[in-house]
Structures are given as structure tokens and as C-alpha cells.
């Protein structure tokens, strides 16, 4: 019974909840950045480069072999062997864009954090001794 209790306590720790939240948000953020890159950023870049779709760029090492009939039997086709450097370029661009977005979010976070730190803290509440001295001062002023 101790193991289950320890496991439950582990799962309900704040750190685990924060980590799970971060992973979920990161997944959603990644999907947004991927859509931004693929649907908004890359089409104009591809158009500027002559209608190139980066994911389709590749270097063919061996051409595809169509189905053939050898000795009366059909031999399966052999797919082309390619180096898909366009997909690599696309993923590198995605990485740079994600890094840039994260950098901008962290910069904004740090800026707000600095503003919070720069705000003067509220003055501390007067101590009992200070309250007594203020009462004495007010009483003396009232007598004058």
C-alpha cells in the first residue's frame, strides 16, 4: 500500500503537473509554428525561388525501376533511392523559427519580470511600537 501512496503523491506533485502542462502547451505551440512555417512562410519563399516546394527537393542516387516481366513472372518495382535534402532544409527552418519564437516569448517574459522587480514594494505595515508612537504624536498635536 505504501508504494501506491508514494506513486500517487509523486503524480500529484506540483512539478509533475507543471511539466505535463508544459509538454501539452509545447505540443500545441509546435503545431502552430509548423502551420505558420508550412502554410504562411514557405509558400512565398518557394514562389520567390520559382515555385519550389522545399519538401520535394531531393538528389536521386538511383532511379526507380518499374515492374517488369522476367521469364514470365512479374518482378516488383524498385523505388528510387534519394537524398531528401529539401525536407532537411524545411526542418532546419522550422527549428530556427521555433527558436526565434521561443526567444521572443522569453524576452517578453524577462521584460515583465524586470518591471515587477523594479516596482517599489509597498511599505511594510507599522509595528506595534510605531503605532504607539504615532498615537502619542497625534495626542500631543491635539493638545496644542
Amino acid at each position: 500500500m505504501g508504494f501506491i501512496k508514494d506513486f500517487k503523491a509523486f503524480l500529484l506533485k506540483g512539478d509533475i503537473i507543471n511539466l505535463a502542462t508544459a509538454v501539452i502547451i509545447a505540443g500545441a505551440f509546435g503545431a502552430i509554428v509548423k502551420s505558420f512555417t508550412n502554410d504562411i512562410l514557405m509558400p512565398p519563399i518557394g514562389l520567390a525561388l520559382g515555385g519550389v516546394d522545399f519538401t520535394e527537393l531531393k538528389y536521386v542516387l538511383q532511379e526507380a525501376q518499374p515492374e517488369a516481366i522476367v521469364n514470365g513472372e512479374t518482378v516488383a518495382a524498385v523505388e528510387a533511392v534519394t537524398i531528401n535534402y529539401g525536407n532537411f532544409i524545411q526542418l532546419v527552418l522550422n527549428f530556427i523559427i521555433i527558436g526565434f519564437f521561443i526567444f521572443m516569448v522569453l524576452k517578453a517574459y524577462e521584460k515583465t519580470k524586470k518591471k515587477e522587480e523594479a516596482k517599489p514594494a509597498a511599505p511594510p505595515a507599522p509595528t506595534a511600537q510605531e503605532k504607539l508612537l504615532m498615537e502619542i504624536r497625534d495626542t500631543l498635536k491635539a493638545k496644542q
Side-chain angles (χ1 to χ4, degrees), residues 9-89:
F10 169 75
L11 287 180
L12 297 178
K13 274 186 181 177
D15 295 343
I16 299 298
I17 302 299
N18 291 341
L19 179 61
T21 303
V23 168
I24 292 167
I25 289 174
F29 184 73
I32 290 169
V33 173
K34 183 177 180 182
S35 175
F36 174 77
T37 305
N38 294 340
D39 302 330
I40 295 173
L41 189 64
M42 293 312 292
I45 291 173
L47 185 63
L49 295 175
V52 175
D53 178 7
F54 278 94
T55 58
E56 299 297 320
L57 295 176
K58 57 187 164 192
Y59 179 76
V60 179
L61 297 174
Q62 179 181 352
E63 293 289 335
Q65 305 278 327
E67 282 188 8
I69 299 176
V70 178
N71 297 331
E73 293 183 24
T74 303
V75 178
V78 176
E79 292 186 28
V81 178
T82 60
I83 296 176
N84 301 323
Y85 65 90
N87 195 43
F88 177 75
I89 291 171

Side-chain angles (χ1 to χ4, degrees), residues 29 98-114:
F29 184 73
I98 290 170
F100 178 74
F101 276 123
I102 291 173
F103 173 75
M104 295 304 291
V105 167
L106 290 177
K107 278 294 247 194
Y109 174 75
E110 288 174 8
K111 196 172 189 178
T112 59
K113 208 61 163 154
K114 285 181 183 178

